[in-house]
């Protein structure tokens, strides 16, 4: 009889313990959540202190763009090449070196019978100088000088490409940091659910598979963080290469930076032609081509040559003699004028083709910018709806699911489904933000900002 009473007493105790388990889990988790904030703030303080101690620089986007402009090796090469054209242009006005010759004049072959002393011939000294037409030299100098402007404009085009590439890397790094922050927050929620499952399992209120599933989700989350950290390291290395820094130089970016879309006040072909460096490069190329046509047309002007000969006889009975001769070329001869006339005509057609290409580029860019504006506005509205409506709703759903789960009214797989929906929507928001940022980069690239 006493054994039966003892058995009933133990059954009542176990039943009471099982009924009080959900409340015990709630009471156990509340202090854990309350302790979470000081731990996070402490970690943040420790991280900031480590940043200050290590002297890790924080580079803003403007700083990176300025360093690319100043330090990039390829950009420096354009300035050097432009300087070389200036010196080459000065060399284009130089004359050919004078020619001097020494020899004999009217000297008989050895063994010949000389009838008179005057037949012995003379020793001759000859001076010769080519005199180019000054108009040709000036035209060629202007043509070569124009190439320097083309090189400087090419530098602007390359710099714009590098700026766009740096912005893409910077914004990708920024979004990766935001993804890691979201993943860590979601990982804490999953760790809480795992702890609850581990507490309930000994009392047969959860399944062992649920514990394993929560563990797998946590590890999957950590793998995503590792992948994003790898992307951030890759962006850092590429930015270092653009700034001409060692690839392993450590620095951080401004995590508070938010890209801002600033629409152009006016999008017309005239304003685009003034700001776009590729159009400026094309203008300078057209000007250079026209100067080359003028230089080719100057080939119709004659060149000159002056020659002076001095003869000293080998006998004293003959007087010293000299000869002065001036020569002029005849470039208008049909067999010689064909070359420069055909080349000038071909260049004229090439100039017309480049002007048509310039107009087509401006028209295409204008339509592209209008399309980008509409797409950016649409993306901003979608992101705003996600952040203000969908994400808060899913967070409330997650809170309700966690409350029901703590009260043992919902199974873990159902809560994981809600957690996955929230995580996926947060990832979709960040995907849309990255697309928006990259669209802003392309928009600014077309405007050469």
């Amino acid at each position: 009889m006493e054994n039966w009473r003892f058995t009933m007493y133990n059954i009542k105790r176990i039943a009471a313990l099982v009924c009080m388990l959900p409340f015990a889990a709630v009471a156990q988790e509340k202090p854990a959540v309350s302790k979470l904030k000081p731990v996070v703030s402490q970690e943040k303080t420790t991280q900031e202190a480590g940043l200050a101690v290590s002297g890790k620089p924080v580079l803003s986007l403007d700083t990176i763009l300025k360093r690319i402009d100043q330090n990039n090796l390829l950009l420096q090469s354009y300035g050097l090449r432009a300087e070389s054209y200036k010196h080459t242009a000065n060399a284009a006005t130089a004359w050919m070196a004078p020619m001097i010759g020494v020899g004999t004049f009217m000297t008989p072959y050895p063994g010949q019978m000389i009838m008179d002393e005057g037949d012995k011939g003379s020793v001759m000294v000859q001076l010769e100088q080519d005199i180019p037409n000054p108009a040709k030299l000036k035209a060629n100098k202007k043509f070569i000088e124009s190439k320097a402007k083309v090189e400087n404009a090419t530098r602007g085009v390359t710099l714009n490409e590098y700026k766009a590439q740096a912005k893409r890397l910077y914004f990708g790094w920024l979004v990766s940091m935001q993804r890691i922050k979201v993943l860590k927050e979601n990982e804490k929620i999953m760790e809480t659910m795992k702890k609850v499952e581990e507490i309930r399992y000994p009392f047969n209120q959860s399944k062992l598979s649920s514990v394993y599933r929560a563990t797998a989700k946590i590890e999957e989350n950590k793998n995503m963080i590792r992948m994003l950290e790898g992307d951030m390291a890759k962006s850092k290395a590429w930015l270092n290469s653009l700034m001409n820094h060692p690839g392993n130089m450590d620095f951080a970016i401004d995590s508070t930076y938010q890209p801002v879309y600033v629409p152009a006040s006016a999008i017309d072909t005239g304003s685009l032609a003034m700001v776009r460096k590729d159009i400026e490069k094309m203008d300078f190329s057209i000007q250079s081509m026209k100067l080359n046509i003028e230089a080719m047309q100057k080939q119709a002007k004659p060149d000159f040559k002056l020659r002076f000969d001095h003869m000293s006889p080998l006998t004293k009975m003959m007087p010293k003699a000299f000869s002065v001769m001036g020569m002029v070329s005849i470039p208008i001869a049909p067999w010689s004028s064909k070359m420069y006339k055909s080349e000038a005509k071909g260049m004229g057609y090439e100039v017309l083709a480049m002007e048509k290409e310039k107009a087509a580029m401006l028209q295409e860019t204008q339509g592209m910018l209008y399309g980008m504006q509409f797409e950016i506005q649409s993306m901003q509205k979608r992101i705003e709806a996600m952040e203000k409506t969908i994400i808060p709703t899913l967070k409330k759903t997650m809170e309700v699911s966690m409350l029901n789960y703590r009260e043992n009214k919902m199974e873990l797989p159902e809560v994981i489904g809600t957690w996955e929906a929230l995580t996926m929507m947060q990832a979709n928001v960040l995907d849309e933000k990255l697309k928006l940022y990259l669209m802003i980069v392309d928009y600014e690239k077309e405007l050469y900002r």
Side-chain angles (χ1 to χ4, degrees):
M1 188 69 178
E2 292 180 358
N3 291 335
W4 180 79
R5 289 179 180 175
F6 180 74
T7 303
M8 291 299 294
Y9 174 73
N10 287 337
I11 291 173
K12 290 179 181 180
R13 287 183 61 186
I14 293 172
L17 182 62
V18 171
C19 293
M20 293 298 293
L21 182 61
F23 300 99
V26 173
Q28 185 176 2
E29 288 177 11
K30 283 184 178 179
V33 175
S34 62
K35 291 179 182 179
L36 189 61
K37 291 184 178 179
V39 171
V40 173
S41 61
Q42 184 179 359
E43 289 178 356
K44 185 176 180 181
T45 305
T46 305
Q47 186 178 5
E48 291 175 355
L51 184 64
V53 171
S54 63
K56 187 176 180 181
V58 178
L59 301 183
S60 64
L61 180 59
D62 291 337
T63 302
I64 291 176
L65 296 181
K66 288 179 182 178
R67 292 188 181 183
I68 292 174
D69 190 7
Q70 296 172 358
N71 302 333
N72 189 271
L73 294 179
L74 182 59
L75 296 178
Q76 293 175 5
S77 69
Y78 291 110
L80 297 174
R81 194 174 291 113
E83 190 68 21
S84 71
Y85 281 125
K86 294 180 181 178
H87 294 282
T88 306
N90 292 329
T93 57
W95 289 11
M96 294 294 294
M99 299 289 292
I100 184 170
V102 179
T104 60
F105 177 72
M106 297 185 68
T107 304
Y109 286 103
Q112 299 289 325
M113 182 179 295
I114 299 176
M115 303 298 294
D116 190 358
E117 287 294 326
D119 295 338
K120 290 184 178 180
S122 305
V123 175
M124 184 172 71
V125 178
Q126 185 180 77
L127 292 174
E128 186 176 296
Q129 175 66 57
D130 289 335
I131 303 175
N133 195 297
K136 288 183 178 181
L137 297 181
K138 291 180 181 178
N140 195 30
K141 180 182 179 181
K142 290 181 180 179
F143 166 62
I144 296 176
E145 285 178 342
S146 66
K147 292 183 178 181
K149 296 181 180 179
V150 177
E151 287 297 324
N152 288 327
T154 305
R155 182 189 185 278
V157 175
T158 306
L159 176 60
N160 187 59
E161 292 284 345
Y162 283 166
K163 282 184 176 180
Q165 185 177 354
K167 289 177 182 178
R168 292 190 188 99
L169 294 171
Y170 198 93
F171 296 161
W173 188 346
L174 186 66
V175 172
S176 295
M177 293 174 64
Q178 296 174 359
R179 290 182 192 275
I180 290 175
K181 181 180 178 182
V182 170
L183 289 173
K184 287 184 176 179
E185 291 176 355
N186 293 334
E187 183 177 342
K188 292 173 184 176
I189 298 175
M190 185 57 65
E191 286 177 349
T192 301
M193 289 190 286
K194 179 185 174 183
K195 290 178 181 178
V196 173
E197 288 296 306
E198 289 174 346
I199 294 172
R200 290 180 177 179
Y201 176 70
F203 301 101
N204 293 326
Q205 290 189 341
S206 68
K207 298 178 182 178
L208 185 60
S209 60
S210 299
V211 179
Y212 290 149
R213 185 175 180 182
T215 304
K217 289 294 180 182
I218 292 172
E219 191 60 31
E220 182 182 349
N221 207 70
K222 290 180 179 179
N223 277 337
M224 290 293 296
I225 293 176
R226 295 187 190 104
M227 183 184 68
L228 292 171
E229 288 174 347
D231 293 339
M232 291 163 58
K234 181 177 68 174
S235 299
K236 183 191 300 182
W238 285 7
L239 287 172
N240 277 326
S241 67
L242 290 175
M243 294 186 290
N244 193 23
H245 290 169
N248 59 351
M249 193 189 88
D250 195 14
F251 68 93
I253 63 172
D254 184 7
S255 59
T256 61
Y257 181 81
Q258 292 294 330
V260 179
Y261 165 61
V262 181
S265 57
I267 301 179
D268 57 84
T269 55
S271 59
L272 289 175
M274 294 177 63
V275 298
R276 288 181 62 92
K277 294 297 182 180
D278 55 348
I279 300 299
E280 181 182 359
K281 176 186 175 182
M282 190 164 289
D283 286 335
F284 285 138
S285 298
I286 291 174
Q287 293 177 10
S288 179
M289 191 71 67
K290 290 180 178 179
L291 290 174
N292 194 15
I293 292 174
E294 292 181 7
M296 292 300 300
Q297 291 174 344
K298 297 293 183 183
Q299 297 296 321
K301 294 183 176 295
D303 291 323
F304 307 96
K305 181 182 288 188
L306 184 64
R307 192 174 74 183
F308 173 78
D309 299 334
H310 172 75
M311 283 76 74
S312 295
L314 295 176
T315 177
K316 297 182 180 179
M317 297 180 62
M318 297 297 293
K320 294 181 180 180
F322 73 93
S323 172
V324 178
M325 181 176 294
M327 290 174 282
V328 60
S329 64
I330 307 175
I332 60 175
W335 54 87
S336 62
S337 63
K338 182 179 180 181
M339 179 184 66
Y340 61 82
K341 285 183 178 179
S342 298
E343 287 189 7
K345 189 174 182 180
M347 290 179 186
Y349 282 113
E350 190 171 350
V351 167
L352 293 176
M354 292 177 70
E355 289 177 346
K356 293 290 185 182
E357 184 180 355
K358 170 188 168 183
M361 287 177 61
L362 290 172
Q363 192 68 28
E364 181 180 354
T365 303
Q366 184 185 32
M368 188 185 303
L369 288 173
Y370 277 121
M372 286 182 178
Q373 283 185 346
F374 294 132
E375 188 170 358
I376 289 174
Q377 293 170 2
S378 174
M379 294 174 74
Q380 286 177 331
K381 292 179 181 178
R382 293 203 305 270
I383 293 173
E384 184 178 3
M386 288 179 176
E387 290 183 333
K388 291 185 177 181
T389 305
I390 301 176
I391 295 294
T393 303
L394 290 176
K395 284 184 176 180
K396 290 179 181 178
T397 304
M398 186 67 200
E399 293 174 0
V400 173
S401 298
M402 285 297 295
L403 181 60
N404 292 332
Y405 174 67
R406 288 168 177 169
E407 294 176 354
N408 208 12
K409 296 179 181 179
M410 183 178 288
E411 295 293 333
L412 180 64
E414 296 176 316
V415 183
I416 290 179
T418 307
W419 177 82
E420 287 179 341
L422 175 61
T423 304
M424 186 176 298
M425 183 53 62
Q426 290 173 331
N428 289 340
V429 170
L430 291 174
D431 288 339
E432 290 294 322
K433 279 189 175 182
L434 181 58
K435 291 178 183 178
L436 174 62
Y437 296 162
L438 296 181
M439 183 64 67
I440 292 174
V441 172
D442 293 336
Y443 184 80
E444 292 180 347
K445 178 185 176 183
E446 295 298 325
L447 292 173
Y448 278 75
R449 291 180 176 174

